[in-house]
Amino acid sequence: MDDISERDPLLGSHKSSSGPSHSSYQPDIAQSQFGGSSMSDVHIPVILSWQNVNVFVKEKKKKQATMPELPLNTDNGRKQIIKNISGVVKSGTLVAIMGASGAGKSTLMNVLTNRNLRDYEVQGESMSMVQLLEMPIRNISAYVQQDDLFITTLTVRETLIFRALLRMDKSINKQARLRRVEEVIQEMGLIKCADTQIGLSETKKGISGGEKKRLSFACEMLTNPPLLFCDEPTSGLDSFMAQNIVQTLQNMAEKKRTILCTIHQPSSEIFAMFNQILLLAEGRVAFMGSSKQAVEFFNGLNYICPTNFNPADFYIMTLAIVPGREEECRQKVHAICDAFTDTKEAYQIRGDIQRISSHATRDELINSAFSNTSRYEASWVRQFFCILWRSWLSLIRNTMLFRVRVIQTMFVAVILGLIYLRIKYDQRGVMNINGAIFLLITNASFTSLFAVVNSFPNEMPIFLREYGSGLYRTDVYYLAKNLAELPTFLLLPMILISIDYWMMGLYESGEAFLIAAGVVVLLSNVAVSFGYVISTLAGDVNIALAVAPPLLIPFMMFGGFFLNNDSVPVYFIWLKYLSWFKYANEVLAVNQWENVNQIECDTNTTVPSPAPNRCLYLTGSDVLSYLSFNADNDWLNLGLLFALMAAFRTLSFILLLVRARMSKS
């Protein structure tokens, strides 16, 4: 491939006689462009082709075979979504993949980018001819997805810095990465909003929808990929912003990038910006070529676009399957697709594929050759500190949420303190103190658990996307996220116990207070750990909120307050041993009553039967005996609380890892 650019017109006019090795792709680009010209000028054009691509629904997913928009089965009874699709996209070309709903646009994009293919069987191959190089497509491409997912408390510049530190080649130093961030901000027209937090329209005003879309492109352009895939880049934007985004894509294509994007109902102005269009219908290619060639092709078949009519709408309507006329429409579509196979455009595509195949880097789609490349550019340590930095920034900037949590904790603590204000140590007071202790445990558990359940699932889609793109490891993300949130879950339970312990008049001892504070902090973090389990298992805030209370109630029931510790039915013993309420309640009860040597006894509050005129509790030991609690279990209970915290965190990490691996496939 040393002299491909000199002898192959497919690659354009760029001339060179020698090239770098496989591993030097990004470093060489960085060195040449940071040293002089802008890195936005792409010097290594790419041609992408795919040949005889067929996609079938796997038999175990039979429920998908009933979808009405899928084509009829053509291979051993299997449902076929894409049938024998071939195509070529040359360097410096902006291609629009269009078609009616169910035509196979998204499936083709997934095949070319090797994403979301777990439920499908793919046959065929894609080939890339990279001038002077031989590299897998994953190393030279980027994929801009339809949904814009960002950490909303970060600014545009911080978001790009985070990705630059993790995504760019290891050999590029930090100063060069930061310079590249500034170049991309300027190239994508984000200078005005560079230091603005991304924000959410419902809660806090941030950047606009068009700016978010440009930020999505900017995140992918940091590595200066010569090959770019875009899924519905104009979705959800007004006509002006949509045209602005496509204009940005066109400018990028003019710098020798190869760009493919699916697009839905483009205006005539936007449609005219594309160099090529690829029309799909019923899983087949209806046309591929320039818009001028498309007009000639459809005119030759007597499908003439009316004057002043949007050509994009005309092609989609012509190739659509109309309800009630399915058979007639399918016959028309198949006739159009068959006619295209005999056109000069189709012959040109087949000829280009043959020429590319003689010196192309091949990726056999069915074998997922992309997986042989390294997923991560940054080291474990750099990933950890970058995610910790981002998580901490996100936490401290969400000041309103933090204030609400602190105020809520203080308010509830004061209310509980007023209800149980300076409880008297008598027969009635014993019950009140035990109830106050259990309420402290319950409040600390619920507050901590729901703080996680309300926030962690919201960030999971961002994590899954970034993990899928090879930005960082699951263990790094989970550890950094836990560490960043740890101060919050140390401070809030400390506020709760510091207020209530003295207001309620619990055992007045500095040592006893410190023990109680340590136990409340520990049980709060056990509840946090269980919240992570629920969040990773549910994956959605609404589902997590729905399942959390039913899962907590059994643990509360066997906490030693509603049911005596020795009265638990044998078939629910396992639940008792999983209840952090039980362990925390026993330690706090022992801490409260162990050193109480006298409890007042009024003859009016004696037990009437079977031992009249006799007080139930004379000392704290009597209370512990009645509750079936033992002071000798303190260290065991503390150890079990730590064990539950570790077990829940490990389980939630495993669930997160499984979810990440499934999303990647």
Side-chain angles (χ1 to χ4, degrees):
M1 291 185 63
D2 289 343
D3 59 350
I4 289 175
S5 59
E6 295 182 352
R7 57 187 170 80
D8 201 321
L10 287 173
L11 288 167
S13 59
H14 181 75
K15 300 288 182 182
S16 183
S17 59
S18 62
S21 64
H22 176 118
S23 61
S24 62
Y25 170 64
Q26 286 187 340
D28 282 359
I29 290 179
Q31 291 166 6
S32 64
Q33 294 171 342
F34 282 133
S37 61
S38 171
M39 193 176 177
S40 61
D41 298 326
V42 177
H43 298 291
I44 304 179
V46 172
I47 295 178
L48 177 67
S49 71
W50 55 96
Q51 184 176 17
N52 298 327
V53 175
N54 293 272
V55 180
F56 301 89
V57 179
K58 289 184 178 178
E59 294 183 1
K60 64 178 181 179
K61 299 291 182 181
K62 290 184 179 179
K63 61 180 181 180
Q64 297 186 20
T66 62
M67 294 174 63
E69 68 271 25
L70 298 179
L72 296 175
N73 55 301
T74 59
D75 187 274
N76 298 328
R78 295 177 298 172
K79 210 70 171 181
Q80 188 169 6
I81 303 176
I82 288 181
K83 180 179 180 182
N84 293 327
I85 287 184
S86 300
V88 174
V89 182
K90 301 179 182 180
S91 171
T93 304
L94 175 61
V95 179
I97 303 176
M98 298 169 53
S101 178
K105 305 185 298 295
S106 297
T107 304
L108 177 61
M109 186 71 79
N110 289 336
V111 167
L112 296 178
T113 58
N114 197 37
R115 296 170 182 261
N116 304 321
L117 299 175
R118 182 179 58 182
D119 298 333
Y120 305 106
E121 178 182 339
V122 182
Q123 299 174 353
E125 63 181 5
S126 70
M127 296 175 288
S128 62
M129 184 163 67
V130 187
Q131 186 176 4
L132 312 178
L133 300 174
E134 291 188 1
M135 298 190 69
I137 291 178
R138 186 185 185 94
N139 288 21
I140 58 171
S141 67
Y143 184 30
V144 180
Q145 301 190 48
Q146 180 176 348
D147 299 325
D148 304 318
L149 299 177
F150 300 106
I151 301 295
T152 57
T153 49
L154 265 61
T155 65
V156 169
R157 179 175 280 110
E158 288 166 347
T159 300
L160 292 173
I161 290 174
F162 173 79
R163 293 188 67 93
L165 292 175
L166 294 181
R167 198 73 180 96
M168 296 180 69
D169 193 90
K170 298 176 183 179
S171 63
I172 302 176
N173 61 42
K174 185 177 180 180
Q175 290 72 23
R177 294 168 191 260
L178 296 180
R179 286 200 299 270
R180 176 58 181 157
V181 167
E182 298 305 318
E183 287 182 0
V184 169
I185 288 175
Q186 186 171 3
E187 182 182 355
M188 292 293 140
L190 296 171
I191 297 176
K192 189 170 65 174
C193 62
D195 296 311
T196 304
Q197 291 185 24
I198 295 171
L200 285 173
S201 57
E202 307 91 44
T203 57
K204 183 177 182 179
K205 187 175 181 180
I207 62 177
S208 67
E211 289 169 334
K212 283 184 181 179
K213 184 61 68 175
R214 290 204 297 274
L215 178 57
S216 295
F217 286 109
C219 289
E220 300 300 334
M221 297 313 298
L222 287 169
T223 55
N224 200 32
L227 178 59
L228 183 65
F229 299 94
C230 308
D231 184 17
E232 298 284 356
T234 61
S235 178
L237 301 178
D238 58 64
S239 57
F240 172 78
M241 289 310 305
Q243 187 170 347
N244 186 276
I245 291 297
V246 177
Q247 181 65 58
T248 301
L249 290 174
Q250 189 181 56
N251 295 339
M252 292 161 62
E254 289 175 355
K255 297 174 181 177
K256 296 298 182 182
R257 291 189 177 96
T258 305
I259 304 176
L260 295 84
C261 63
T262 60
I263 192 164
H264 182 65
Q265 288 186 323
S267 65
S268 55
E269 291 83 2
I270 292 176
F271 179 76
M273 293 182 181
F274 290 95
N275 304 114
Q276 272 191 313
I277 59 173
L278 170 58
L279 298 176
L280 297 179
E282 291 288 283
R284 298 180 62 189
V285 176
F287 178 81
M288 186 173 188
S290 67
S291 56
K292 180 180 179 181
Q293 292 170 331
V295 172
E296 297 173 354
F297 171 70
F298 280 92
N299 285 347
L301 298 177
N302 292 324
Y303 296 107
I304 301 173
C305 179
T307 306
N308 298 326
F309 196 87
N310 185 353
D313 290 338
F314 173 75
Y315 298 143
I316 292 174
M317 292 173 62
T318 302
L319 299 172
I321 305 300
V322 181
R325 299 169 49 199
E326 288 86 353
E327 188 61 33
E328 175 187 347
C329 291
R330 285 198 174 95
Q331 290 179 359
K332 177 180 69 175
V333 165
H334 289 311
I336 294 174
C337 294
D338 291 339
F340 175 71
T341 59
D342 295 327
T343 61
K344 62 180 181 180
E345 290 83 5
Y347 282 116
Q348 180 66 39
I349 290 173
R350 290 193 287 270
D352 289 343
I353 291 175
Q354 289 179 0
R355 296 177 64 192
I356 293 171
S357 63
S358 62
H359 45 238
T361 297
R362 296 172 179 267
D363 285 304
E364 295 185 4
L365 302 173
I366 194 171
N367 294 326
S368 301
F370 299 155
S371 61
N372 294 329
T373 62
S374 175
R375 278 182 50 80
Y376 309 109
E377 292 292 346
S379 65
W380 194 98
V381 174
R382 170 170 282 182
Q383 291 178 35
F384 175 77
F385 282 108
C386 286
I387 298 173
L388 184 62
W389 167 73
R390 185 180 72 170
S391 299
W392 181 247
L393 271 183
S394 179
L395 189 67
I396 63 176
R397 284 185 179 167
N398 204 342
T399 54
M400 181 60 68
L401 177 61
F402 181 74
R403 289 173 184 171
V404 168
R405 286 180 177 177
V406 172
I407 293 172
Q408 178 191 23
T409 301
M410 296 177 65
F411 178 77
V412 172
V414 171
I415 293 297
L416 290 177
L418 291 174
I419 293 174
Y420 294 98
L421 186 63
R422 308 302 297 176
I423 304 172
K424 188 177 180 181
Y425 280 60
D426 57 13
Q427 303 299 300
R428 289 190 178 92
V430 171
M431 183 182 72
N432 294 337
I433 290 175
N434 289 338
I437 290 174
F438 198 79
L439 271 177
L440 282 175
I441 297 171
T442 302
N443 184 68
S445 298
F446 272 74
T447 302
S448 301
L449 184 143
F450 282 101
V452 174
V453 165
N454 276 298
S455 62
F456 190 68
N458 286 329
E459 197 172 313
M460 194 171 298
I462 300 174
F463 158 72
L464 294 176
R465 175 171 295 184
E466 292 177 341
Y467 171 82
S469 64
L471 213 58
Y472 47 73
R473 298 165 56 93
T474 306
D475 56 339
V476 174
Y477 169 80
Y478 187 76
L479 182 60
K481 181 74 174 173
N482 278 247
L483 191 59
E485 293 182 343
L486 182 60
T488 300
F489 297 118
L490 294 178
L491 177 63
L492 296 181
M494 278 299 297
I495 293 175
L496 175 69
I497 190 64
S498 298
I499 294 174
D500 280 338
Y501 192 89
W502 304 108
M503 286 188 69
M504 293 176 176
L506 301 180
Y507 184 71
E508 295 187 359
S509 164
E511 181 184 357
F513 166 73
L514 292 177
I515 293 174
V519 172
V520 171
V521 169
L522 178 57
L523 73 90
S524 296
N525 281 275
V526 175
V528 167
S529 305
F530 190 66
Y532 280 122
V533 172
I534 295 175
S535 299
T536 51
L537 189 63
D540 179 81
V541 171
N542 295 326
I543 297 175
L545 290 174
V547 302
L551 291 177
L552 273 179
I553 289 175
F555 295 128
M556 289 179 57
M557 288 295 298
F558 300 108
F561 181 77
F562 298 107
L563 189 65
N564 189 277
N565 200 36
D566 288 339
S567 302
V568 179
V570 65
Y571 41 85
F572 281 136
I573 287 291
W574 62 277
L575 269 176
K576 182 180 78 169
Y577 291 123
L578 290 177
S579 173
W580 66 88
F581 290 86
K582 182 257 183 188
Y583 302 127
N585 193 22
E586 185 168 10
V587 174
L588 290 177
V590 169
N591 185 61
Q592 166 63 31
W593 296 113
E594 185 179 23
N595 296 314
V596 175
N597 298 319
Q598 183 179 357
I599 298 175
E600 293 183 14
C601 180
D602 189 341
T603 56
N604 294 326
T605 60
T606 56
V607 180
S609 178
N613 302 322
R614 184 180 172 190
C615 289
L616 186 59
Y617 314 111
L618 296 177
T619 66
S621 298
D622 295 333
V623 179
L624 296 177
S625 177
Y626 179 79
L627 295 173
S628 299
F629 288 160
N630 191 337
D632 295 335
N633 293 335
D634 277 359
W635 288 109
L636 175 63
N637 288 329
L638 291 174
L640 290 172
L641 283 173
F642 277 108
L644 278 178
M645 182 172 66
F648 286 147
R649 300 262 176 165
T650 303
L651 177 59
S652 61
F653 169 70
I654 294 173
L655 291 172
L656 185 65
L657 184 62
V658 170
R659 186 176 287 275
R661 294 288 175 85
M662 291 177 63
S663 69
K664 179 184 160 188
S665 64

